Amino acid sequence: SQEKLPTFYWLPKLHKRPYKARFIANSSSCTTTSLSKVLTSCLTAIKNHWIKYCEKTYEREGINYFWSIKNSTEILNKLKTKGFQASTISTYDFSTLYTTLPHNLIRNQLVDLIENTFRREEVLYLACNEERAFFASEKHKKYDLWTCQKVTDALIYLLDNIYIRFGSKLYRQNVGIPMGTNCAPLVADLFLFCYERDFMKSLKKEKRYDLIDAFNSTSRYLDDLLNIDNIHFEHMVHRIYPAELQLNKANASDTEAAFLDLNLSIHNDIVSTKIYDKRDDFNFDIVNFPFLDGDVPRRPSYGVYISQLIRFARASSHVTDFNNRNKFLTAKLLKQGYRYHKLRKAFSKFYRRHFELIEKYHVSLKKLMQQGICNPEFYGDLVYKFKKIIGNPNFSNLFKRIVNRFKRVGYTLDIMRQTACLVFNPIMVEGYAALFSCTAVVQASDSMTASM
């Protein structure tokens, strides 16, 4: 049978101006996939070893050897330790990182890193499978035991046997690693870590503590770099990374930048953050949350709403940015079948359980809800109030009181009537037609003036 090999597919980078392309190697079922998955587990265990080692080293020496981060929360934590104070900010990215990594450099750096890790762990094996790996001295059920030699041999074999099918032709990749093979992100991440660690060691040897302090705040997520108050980075890039890698400055201003899902801006030497989503720049709607008119489970769907609120609150320095994101998300979810009262209940749950995230805004639950699900634009609060009086013996008076109250805060008469028809019998609502007239608004206003 014909050997299965990776094939290409193309993804547009719609947030770029002009649009650019990303080519992915579809290797989900090729002959080296299983090897790549096990190697991913092994490299993850090796990376975790160096994360712990570098954390301890930072505590003892005050030198950050490990710039790689997992998510934007680590950026926020770094800013918090600095009191959110900074004067400059800069971001960089590698152009075509995966496809320009020289195999000989990958081999030299990662083999040395793997061997060094085994020596430090003082064990003979990595117990591994396609899901997990850990250092061990004896056999474990459902795990294979890989020696240091076997891990390095697996890496070298994968590098030397990268084949791509394009149309009817077959190519062997001798420079770079394909985006799409399982271990590619870890190979690139650990490869860059080796150079960053060696650079920080050289600064320590030269006793350049001023530079060490500047580079301690450097963060990298795969091929994107962020610097805070580091005016030396651009002039020292040639000392950090090999010449084969090209690094480009991504932000135009030294006081504003986008990094991961954060937009960072500096005013009066104080860093403010808010959510950045490259999909906001698309000129079409993005479907990224479930529609509830299908068979999607309800409870997890409303849990997604809470998780997004947590993300917004964690990343937004100002309540205005939090409210804008919340309002945008609420509008999208309502269009996709989410219920007003359940979103309201979910927001209250978020407020109670994660108050530590929003206490910085010094805003009450009521005011936050008025900018979200209870915003007049959505009329969700009106639906909630109407449903509470269904079957009440004092219905007529309560109904009039609710309508007049919402008139005074600016709710549109036609939409209030339509909302009432959704909750109650439309024929019954017609019996209160005068209540939804402009004359009734004037009368209500005059009555309020007289009472004052």
Side-chain angles (χ1 to χ4, degrees), residues 92-103:
Y92 296 81
D93 59 18
F94 291 97
S95 59
T96 59
L97 170 65
Y98 289 88
T99 55
T100 56
L101 292 177
H103 285 191

Side-chain angles (χ1 to χ4, degrees), residues 178-194:
M179 295 178 66
T181 191
N182 297 77
C183 65
L186 273 167
V187 169
D189 193 22
L190 292 174
F191 175 77
L192 295 177
F193 158 68
C194 292

